[in-house]
């Protein structure tokens, strides 16, 4: 086993909540951009 602890710190943004928020906002932005792309080129 690798020996990772569940309380390990995230290397970026300091907390898991911030990291997951960034990932979620990135997903929302991509969905919106693909929606716009679809509307422009339909």
């Amino acid at each position: 086993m690798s020996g990772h602890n569940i309380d390990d710190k995230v290397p970026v943004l300091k907390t898991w909540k911030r990291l997951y928020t960034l990932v979620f906002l990135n997903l929302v932005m991509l969905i919106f951009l693909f929606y716009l792309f679809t509307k422009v080129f339909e």
Side-chain angles (χ1 to χ4, degrees):
M1 292 280 166
S2 62
H4 288 288
N5 188 356
I6 199 164
D7 294 330
D8 285 345
K9 293 292 181 188
V10 185
V12 180
L13 301 178
K14 308 280 191 215
T15 66
W16 286 108
K17 184 176 180 181
R18 289 181 186 169
L19 182 63
Y20 285 128
T21 301
L22 178 65
V23 169
F24 178 74
L25 290 175
N26 185 33
L27 178 63
V28 169
M29 182 187 70
L30 284 174
I31 291 171
F32 180 70
L33 287 174
F34 285 131
Y35 170 75
L36 286 177
F37 187 81
T38 303
K39 287 297 177 186
V40 168
F41 292 104
E42 65 179 2

